[in-house]
Amino acid sequence: MRIFAIRDESAEEKKDLAWLLYYEAEKRFYIELPEDANEWETPLLLSSFVKKGEKTVDSHWSKVWVQQRIVPPDRQNIGQVLKDNGLKEYDEFELLLLAMGRCAQDDCYLTPLEEEELPPQIQARFERRVEDVLSLGRNTLLVFFRDGEVRKCDLTGWLEAHTRFSILLKRGELFDKVRVETGGHGVSWDENMSIPDYVLYQSGEAVPLTMEDFYVITARCIINTSEAAEILNCSRQNIQDLIRRGKLHPVKATSRSTLLLKSEVLKRMRTKIDSETAL
């Protein structure tokens, strides 16, 4: 991760107005705003987030801010521009660094920082980033945070209040495809449908469960078809037949593997034993 302070050259006091984070592997940008951000000092475009009380600018709008400061990809002589600057291909981050973020629309520029140079309040946000997420269905997520907190988040109100999420209310299978944002900055379904980490943290209901607990539960409760066949003393083909007949219900099934609840398989075993004893 590369970190930059966003500063204003025209200001007498060279204070940080915001911080730009760049994740090189994923090529994604995020902008963090200070707790006491002033909308009149905050760079254009980012001030709208200050007005809404938001402290983290999502990857989409952070990228838009960057794009406003560099030569566009459809510029007529873009090939020559890249060649003159020693670039083999169009790279937003490398173009941003050429002038350290300076552009004609304002006096802002970038200054490289190490993570330990960030203010304590910004470093504290890293502790509440999302580590993992699990859809529980019915517009609800189980979210694991880096500080060890696990929160159950009912997002019905959020989805209803933000029209771009309306499709998730109608199609539960899409809601289940939630993923963790780059760097744990929140969760998302696509670039235009993301929910920041602090919203999840503040709105979620704390659950007395740790990620380690979850791993143990998963390891002990989920088995594959080979393990199920061993418990029921049958072949894997028999397990697939039980699934087709609705006698067993997969937790997850792909072309390569099928996962089952161990408790359901054990229940099936007890039923089988009871049946054989009755005979």
Side-chain angles (χ1 to χ4, degrees), residues 4-276:
F4 301 85
I6 301 174
R7 294 174 179 165
D8 186 348
E9 276 186 317
S10 66
E12 292 184 10
E13 183 185 356
K14 294 295 187 294
K15 69 176 184 177
D16 296 349
L17 303 179
W19 297 270
L20 176 70
L21 312 181
Y22 178 65
Y23 294 85
E24 296 171 279
E26 299 86 354
K27 295 188 174 182
R28 293 180 78 110
F29 299 93
Y30 288 89
I31 293 174
E32 296 289 343
L33 301 170
E35 296 293 329
D36 59 349
N38 183 322
E39 66 178 275
W40 304 109
E41 294 180 344
T42 303
L44 196 63
L45 178 69
L46 306 182
S47 59
S48 62
F49 288 85
V50 176
K51 290 179 184 177
K52 293 183 288 185
E54 298 180 16
K55 303 305 180 185
T56 299
V57 181
D58 63 38
S59 61
H60 172 74
W61 288 107
S62 295
K63 183 178 180 179
V64 170
W65 185 83
V66 168
Q67 290 172 332
Q68 291 181 344
R69 317 187 75 77
I70 60 177
V71 57
D74 57 356
R75 182 165 167 172
Q76 189 173 5
N77 64 336
I78 187 63
Q80 189 60 48
V81 171
L82 297 179
K83 184 178 179 181
D84 290 345
N85 288 283
L87 299 178
K88 295 181 180 180
E89 60 184 5
Y90 190 87
D91 187 302
E92 291 164 332
F93 180 65
E94 293 298 333
L95 289 168
L96 183 70
L97 292 186
L98 290 176
M100 291 308 292
R102 293 178 175 84
C103 71
Q105 68 184 20
D106 57 35
D107 296 307
C108 291
Y109 69 100
L110 302 177
T111 297
L113 296 179
E114 297 297 327
E115 186 173 331
E116 56 268 22
E117 295 180 87
L118 287 168
Q121 74 242 21
I122 303 301
Q123 292 189 44
R125 293 180 194 176
F126 286 88
E127 294 301 313
R128 291 190 172 184
R129 297 284 185 241
V130 176
E131 190 70 23
D132 207 346
V133 62
L134 175 69
S135 169
L136 300 178
R138 301 181 301 281
N139 308 325
T140 302
L141 299 177
L142 190 64
V143 186
F144 299 83
F145 294 90
R146 289 183 186 170
D147 66 355
E149 281 286 313
V150 180
R151 295 182 180 252
K152 186 176 180 181
C153 305
D154 183 345
L155 300 176
T156 303
W158 175 278
L159 301 180
E160 291 175 344
H162 298 77
T163 55
R164 66 183 184 277
F165 291 90
S166 59
I167 189 171
L168 299 180
L169 289 168
K170 301 173 184 176
R171 299 182 58 184
E173 74 278 8
L174 291 182
F175 182 84
D176 291 341
K177 292 182 178 180
V178 62
R179 61 181 182 272
V180 178
E181 278 276 274
T182 299
H185 287 267
V187 301
S188 64
W189 290 265
D190 66 27
E191 192 175 66
N192 295 312
M193 287 195 294
S194 63
I195 301 179
D197 50 359
Y198 63 88
V199 169
L200 298 167
Y201 202 98
Q202 293 170 3
S203 63
E205 176 187 349
V207 175
L209 179 74
T210 67
M211 182 169 284
E212 288 73 20
D213 294 333
F214 181 71
Y215 286 153
V216 170
I217 291 169
T218 303
R220 293 182 179 178
C221 295
I222 306 297
I223 59 175
N224 57 32
T225 51
S226 294
E227 292 170 311
E230 185 176 347
I231 291 172
L232 294 178
N233 193 27
C234 66
S235 68
R236 293 176 62 183
Q237 288 73 20
N238 288 139
I239 298 297
Q240 293 299 333
D241 182 60
L242 287 171
I243 292 172
R244 281 192 296 272
R245 292 192 288 122
K247 302 299 183 181
L248 291 177
H249 306 85
V251 173
K252 184 175 183 179
T254 68
S255 58
R256 295 185 177 183
S257 65
T258 301
L259 300 178
L260 301 155
L261 274 176
K262 186 176 181 179
S263 60
E264 186 181 35
V265 175
L266 290 172
K267 183 178 179 180
R268 179 71 191 175
M269 180 190 69
R270 288 191 291 270
T271 301
K272 180 182 176 183
I273 292 173
D274 290 343
S275 241
E276 291 173 351

